[in-house]
Amino acid sequence: MLTRIDHIGIACFDLDKTVEFYRATYGFEVFHTEVNEEQGVREAMLKINETSDGGASYLQLLEPTREDSAVGKWLAKNGEGVHHIAFGTADVDEDSEAIRGKGVRVLYDQPRRGSMGSRITFLHPKDCHGVLTELVTAAPPDATDH
């Protein structure tokens, strides 16, 4: 069962400038940064708030590290802006299979590693009214490092 909005992914051309905008404008601070080689992105997670299920809600700022990455291709076509929405779930495997059973295309056969050690998969935007949708199971609290 989906429990919260885990994060909103925002594609950007310059991660450092975009982080500075969100810091200076809204006071959001970087909670975590990493490079995800598999997905070809450099990212910053800005924590917005804690949630009642022990998770949190974030803005995920994504800068492509290569033009042929999914985010790189998306930026070339659409420019900067909202790339995807991610919903938190206690069990990404179970929920993605349940959603697949309802006729929605799940983009990964098996969930992959996401930000901060999470497990993720994506749902096809054409099956979700034009919205690329991510399902996220957060890593156990002792498994993450900021």
Side-chain angles (χ1 to χ4, degrees), residues 76-136:
K77 181 179 178 183
N78 300 293
E80 294 183 306
V82 174
H83 180 261
H84 67 274
I85 186 168
F87 294 109
T89 173
D91 190 336
V92 69
D93 296 277
E94 182 178 309
D95 284 341
S96 63
E97 285 307 309
I99 291 169
R100 184 186 317 249
K102 295 177 181 180
V104 175
R105 287 174 280 180
V106 178
L107 298 183
Y108 302 153
D109 289 332
Q110 297 294 319
R112 297 181 182 177
R113 183 196 179 282
S115 300
M116 302 183 292
S118 63
R119 296 186 69 243
I120 65 165
T121 195
F122 285 91
L123 309 178
H124 200 292
K126 289 185 178 178
D127 297 342
C128 299
H129 297 272
V131 178
L132 180 60
T133 303
E134 183 179 7
L135 304 180
V136 179

Side-chain angles (χ1 to χ4, degrees), residues 13-33:
F13 291 111
D14 185 321
L15 184 66
D16 297 327
K17 284 184 181 178
T18 307
V19 164
E20 178 54 25
F21 169 81
Y22 280 95
R23 189 203 61 71
T25 306
Y26 306 115
F28 297 153
E29 296 296 336
V30 173
F31 180 76
H32 174 84
T33 61

Side-chain angles (χ1 to χ4, degrees), residues 31 53-55 116 138-146:
F31 180 76
D53 67 355
M116 302 183 292
D142 59 346
T144 60
D145 61 50
H146 317 313

Side-chain angles (χ1 to χ4, degrees), residues 27-42:
F28 297 153
E29 296 296 336
V30 173
F31 180 76
H32 174 84
T33 61
E34 70 180 84
V35 174
N36 185 319
E37 295 294 342
E38 179 183 3
Q39 294 185 22
V41 294
R42 185 169 79 104

Side-chain angles (χ1 to χ4, degrees), residues 59-82:
L59 285 181
Q60 179 187 46
L61 306 179
L62 300 159
E63 175 189 52
T65 58
R66 56 181 197 272
E67 290 179 12
D68 69 339
S69 70
V71 172
K73 291 176 188 176
W74 191 90
L75 268 171
K77 181 179 178 183
N78 300 293
E80 294 183 306
V82 174

